[in-house]
Amino acid sequence: MSFIGKIFGDGNKRVLDKLTPVLAEVNKFEEMMKKLPDADFIHKTHEFKGMLAKDPSKIDQILPEAFAMAREAAKRTLGQRHFDMQILGGLVLHQGKIAEMKTGEGKTLVATLPLYLNALTGRGCHLVTVNDYLAKRDCGWMGPVYYALGVSVAAIVHEEAFIFDPDFENKEAIDPKVRHLKPVNRRQAYEADITYGTNNEFGFDYLRDNMVPDLPYMVQRELNYAIVDEVDSILIDEARTPLIISAPAEESTEMYYKFAQLIPQLEEGTDYNIDEKMRAATLTEEGMNKMEKKLGLSNIYEAGGIELVHHLEQALKAHALFKRDKDYVVKEGEIIIVDEFTGRLMFGRRYSEGLHQAIEAKEGVEIKKESQTLATISFQNYFRIYKKLSGMTGTAATEAEEFHKIYNLEVIVVPTNKPMIRKDSNDSIYKSEKGKFMAIVHEIKRRHEIGQPVLVGTISIEKNELLAELLEREGVPHNVLNAKQHEREAQIIAQAGKFGAVTVATNMAGRGVDIVLGGNPPDEKEAQKVKEIGGLHVLGTERHESRRIDNQLRGRTGRQGDPGSSQFFISLEDDLMRIFGSGRMKSFMDRLGVPEDMPIENKMISRSIESAQKKVEGNNFDIRKHLVEYDDVMNKHREVIYKKRQQILNIKPEDLRKSLMEMIDGEIEQVVLFHTTAEDERTWNLDEIYEVVDTIFPVPLSTRVKLEDLRKEAGDKADDARSRSHIIDYLMSLANKAYDQMVEQINDTNFMHQIERGIILRTIDTLWIEHLDQMNYMRTGIGLRGYGQQDPLVEYKKEAFQMFTQLMNNINAQIVYSIYKIPLAQKQMVSPMQTQKQIETAPAKVSVEQNAPADGIKDKPKNDSGKKIGRNDPCPCGSGKKYKKCCGK
């Protein structure tokens, strides 16, 4: 323990000591619950719900009894009783903390305790998983527990939603755990007491809910309580890539293909340099000159502007930094990203800022359209919306600082139910990668011959397939698990503990799926055989840049006190070692004449590995912290806009009319003040004011009162301010009359309210989309301010504030200039992004671009003669502006 720890004590132990008396209280209720008839469980639940509806603060008062009920329900329905350590884990989760529980400690069962308790408030609870399979499996698996307790549970997966119903049976379901999941609509799934789903689905539904044209289309309730399973994967590994919903923008350009042909003609070192630590590639002056000659340009910056340079930079990155079967795979003519942390294929995701298109051009597949952002949020800011957040994982302690700083979450390590007896051997270090793989194959073959199951972890699909090929040559039977077998992942990993099994997996190694010794379903005799020869052996073929990922791989063995072992095989040619400097050590080993396949154990190398991992972890933390700092600025804007949308969706007709009149009053005041700045009243030009106001609502010549008459009405002693007020009041009286006439003309109060609301929402959405683009452009270039001794973040905040002020002014102004055009604009009352079909069917993507369906794009309107209106033609709404500046915006 550190010096500070000795003075202040172990914080983790203090928390657990405080929870121990609560655990004792839960255990006191166990005998009582054993005697309770099944029907009484549901009665108790209704009783608890009624109590919390009157006084939510009593939740901790009913906790011991509720936890004891959930424990007994699990025992009766699943045959699984929560251990004391699982009860402690449930208490940690209920308190809004992260519970670090080792693999195999039953985190899925632990979550039922706080989920049931918090569902009693009637506000809904979410269990967030890393993939659709686990969301469905866990919902169906734990469904009987919740059903016995009288609370409903549902699952949200990609384009589908289900609710647990024991009376429904899907006989075609392969996994018996999901047989009783009945298909429902998304809103019904969110109305359940407890909803399981992935971080992507919850996040995208939140964004879609803030794009809907009417309240019935919203699916989520308020974000009340969430437990994030594999919390480190979701809140840390995936936090560098925000959620973005976007629609097709302009057509993709041939420039991508052109640069994809030219870039491979450049030479590394002469024409461009690669910085692997920073994952960056930059052209040298010589390389830039060579590209200009090939393009026939004297100066690429002058001739093509920033767009051409951008294409060039992205093509270089695609060529030099992004490798096939490591960073992405090509499948059915599409580029699919491989998650660097889990090895999973990230279907639907696209790299941003044209990088994905550059990779498509490089691989010669069809280039998808560019896109325009409609809505975006980072995972950090999405999860911080929840009133209470907690998480669970087997590996969180190494990232405790980040959880605290960004999410204000404390990590509590929950002791294992049985002592951990896994043997973790020192790393086996080799001079070359070739020698390392020879040793790995020999080690796997040796253990396979005695029947010990081996799980081999690789860091890329490429290395995964290389090792599989080497094992094939040696005649070692094995299963391969990588992103290309995504569908069979759970079935393959579940059998990794069988006698004699060899499983070669990328880093995902089936997170969330238990590896049971003897196979699944377990065979007691075979399990015993496996235990006698040492249990499952985990062999890591390379150190990951994050210690946590290495720990996850180790954690696949030694569950629930089972025997097991682990060891990493590394070489001085591995990426981590090569990038972070093992050159001196390699030359030293060369001088000593160390054979390629001879392992060494060296404290200096081991320390350098850990040092390199800490550097990378620190760098990645800085990247995520940087993302949050910038996204926090955008988040303030998002909160205001989404709140404004909610107010408009919920507003009563009379309140909406009042709000509109306040906006009109404000705009008229601005017009009058602008045209009455001169000190001499006689120089005020009332005709100019009438002309501007006439673009807001019709002001017939017959109704236009002269300035002198208004002056007389204001009184002989009126000063400038009073005269201005009198003009504003007069124009507002005209505005009210014009509005009343328009309402009479429409002659349908409900329809009028729908159109008013539609125009306001359309304006907010259109200008918000533009604002997102402008903020993105500003963010891209703001780093250059650092060269001028300015803090880019401070400058970003200043400019963002000005831009947001302008956005709010523009929203009000555009609503005012559009609202009186209702008779002409009835057909355009809904924004292209607000068609509910488009919102529901737009394929959601993380980290980058998102293509909405073609049927979401409206044809250009036509004039009276049937001719399509051009971008520069006068707008048909009568505003006097060009179509592209008005309704065509």
Side-chain angles (χ1 to χ4, degrees), residues 112 127 192 206 219 236 294 315 382 580 627 712 716 824 863 876:
T112 57
L127 190 289
Y206 169 76
V219 295
I236 290 183
K294 290 180 183 296
Y382 171 71
F580 288 92
L627 173 71
K712 285 176 188 173
D716 294 335
L824 295 168
N863 60 20

Side-chain angles (χ1 to χ4, degrees), residues 526-634:
E526 190 153 318
Q528 191 55 43
K529 271 167 65 182
V530 172
K531 286 178 182 177
E532 285 169 4
I533 51 176
L536 175 68
H537 179 69
V538 165
L539 193 156
T541 62
E542 201 166 326
R543 283 286 193 174
H544 194 273
E545 62 181 35
S546 168
R547 289 170 296 164
R548 186 169 38 81
I549 306 296
D550 291 341
N551 291 339
Q552 284 166 9
L553 183 60
R554 285 196 198 276
R556 304 311 303 165
T557 183
R559 61 182 289 281
Q560 281 291 328
D562 283 344
S565 55
S566 72
Q567 186 175 25
F568 279 86
F569 281 57
I570 61 176
S571 84
L572 299 180
E573 292 178 349
D574 291 348
D575 287 348
L576 188 72
M577 297 300 294
R578 184 174 49 77
I579 295 168
F580 288 92
S582 62
R584 282 180 300 172
M585 183 55 64
K586 190 168 188 297
S587 55
F588 174 67
M589 289 173 77
D590 284 337
R591 284 198 301 273
L592 289 177
V594 177
E596 284 190 333
D597 59 348
M598 179 185 284
I600 63 162
E601 286 187 17
N602 185 291
K603 287 184 179 178
M604 192 171 83
I605 297 179
S606 299
R607 278 199 302 269
S608 70
I609 292 169
E610 191 171 352
S611 172
Q613 288 178 312
K614 284 180 179 176
K615 280 181 193 171
V616 178
E617 286 166 2
N619 185 50
N620 288 341
F621 176 34
D622 289 341
I623 291 170
R624 291 186 290 265
K625 192 164 174 281
H626 194 60
L627 173 71
V628 172
E629 286 171 344
Y630 280 88
D631 195 58
D632 280 347
V633 178
M634 193 70 213

Side-chain angles (χ1 to χ4, degrees), residues 274-435:
I274 296 175
D275 184 338
E276 292 190 83
K277 287 184 188 178
M278 297 302 293
R279 205 153 161 74
T282 51
L283 280 171
T284 61
E285 193 172 343
E286 194 173 329
M288 187 63 80
N289 292 336
K290 194 178 281 189
M291 287 305 296
E292 285 172 344
K293 280 180 187 175
K294 290 180 183 296
L295 293 166
L297 303 171
S298 59
N299 187 322
I300 194 170
Y301 290 93
E302 286 180 7
I306 199 73
E307 187 183 351
L308 204 58
V309 176
H310 177 70
H311 278 299
L312 176 57
E313 289 173 346
Q314 298 300 68
L316 179 61
K317 280 173 75 174
H319 170 74
L321 299 174
F322 289 79
K323 306 299 179 189
R324 184 169 178 166
D325 284 344
K326 181 182 178 187
D327 300 295
Y328 63 89
V329 296
V330 181
K331 194 172 183 179
E332 296 174 3
E334 283 192 46
I335 302 297
I336 301 169
I337 300 170
V338 175
D339 189 314
E340 64 175 304
F341 294 101
T342 65
R344 286 193 175 93
L345 287 185
M346 298 158 83
F347 290 97
R349 300 192 190 185
R350 290 175 68 80
Y351 293 115
S352 60
E353 298 174 356
L355 176 59
H356 208 93
Q357 286 87 344
I359 295 172
E360 286 168 334
K362 167 189 166 184
E363 296 293 346
V365 301
E366 182 193 352
I367 295 177
K368 302 294 188 295
K369 288 181 179 179
E370 299 277 8
S371 59
Q372 179 185 41
T373 300
L374 303 181
T376 178
I377 192 169
S378 68
F379 279 122
Q380 288 99 328
N381 275 318
Y382 171 71
F383 282 107
R384 289 194 294 189
I385 297 170
Y386 282 91
K387 289 183 178 175
K388 183 163 75 172
L389 180 66
S390 61
M392 50 189 186
T393 181
T395 47
T398 55
E399 315 292 346
E401 181 191 1
E402 183 164 352
F403 283 124
H404 177 68
K405 285 187 176 176
I406 293 183
Y407 301 100
N408 198 26
L409 287 171
E410 187 180 351
V411 176
I412 301 299
V413 180
V414 179
T416 54
N417 183 51
K418 293 178 182 177
M420 172 75 74
I421 59 170
R422 183 184 72 218
K423 293 176 183 175
D424 295 329
S425 301
N426 292 331
D427 294 350
S428 207
I429 304 164
Y430 296 83
K431 187 174 77 172
S432 70
E433 189 174 61
K434 181 185 173 186

Side-chain angles (χ1 to χ4, degrees), residues 750-849:
N750 185 52
F751 184 55
M752 182 70 189
H753 179 61
Q754 293 297 325
I755 296 179
E756 286 171 336
R757 205 172 58 171
I759 285 176
I760 294 171
L761 291 175
R762 179 181 188 275
T763 303
I764 291 171
D765 291 342
T766 304
L767 294 178
W768 173 241
I769 291 167
E770 284 184 10
H771 181 70
L772 289 174
D773 279 344
Q774 289 167 4
M775 290 286 286
N776 190 41
Y777 291 141
M778 181 176 72
R779 166 85 186 274
T780 304
I782 203 77
L784 297 173
R785 303 285 178 90
Y787 294 110
Q789 305 302 309
Q790 293 175 317
D791 184 334
L793 182 61
V794 171
E795 295 303 306
Y796 180 76
K797 287 178 178 177
K798 279 184 194 172
E799 295 205 16
F801 176 75
Q802 293 168 1
M803 285 168 67
F804 188 68
T805 304
Q806 186 64 46
L807 169 69
M808 299 309 288
N809 291 338
N810 288 347
I811 287 172
N812 285 351
Q814 191 153 318
I815 290 168
V816 169
Y817 283 90
S818 303
I819 202 72
Y820 285 92
K821 314 300 187 296
I822 283 177
L824 295 168
Q826 286 180 31
K827 290 180 183 178
Q828 298 180 33
M829 63 176 278
V830 178
S831 156
M833 68 166 271
Q834 285 175 2
T835 59
Q836 189 58 27
K837 184 181 178 185
Q838 178 183 357
I839 293 167
E840 288 172 353
T841 58
K845 297 178 183 168
V846 179
S847 129
V848 278
E849 309 184 9

Side-chain angles (χ1 to χ4, degrees), residues 8-25:
F8 294 103
D10 183 346
N12 195 85
K13 186 176 182 298
R14 282 203 306 272
V15 172
L16 293 176
D17 286 346
K18 283 183 182 176
L19 294 178
T20 304
V22 187
L23 168 63
E25 287 292 312

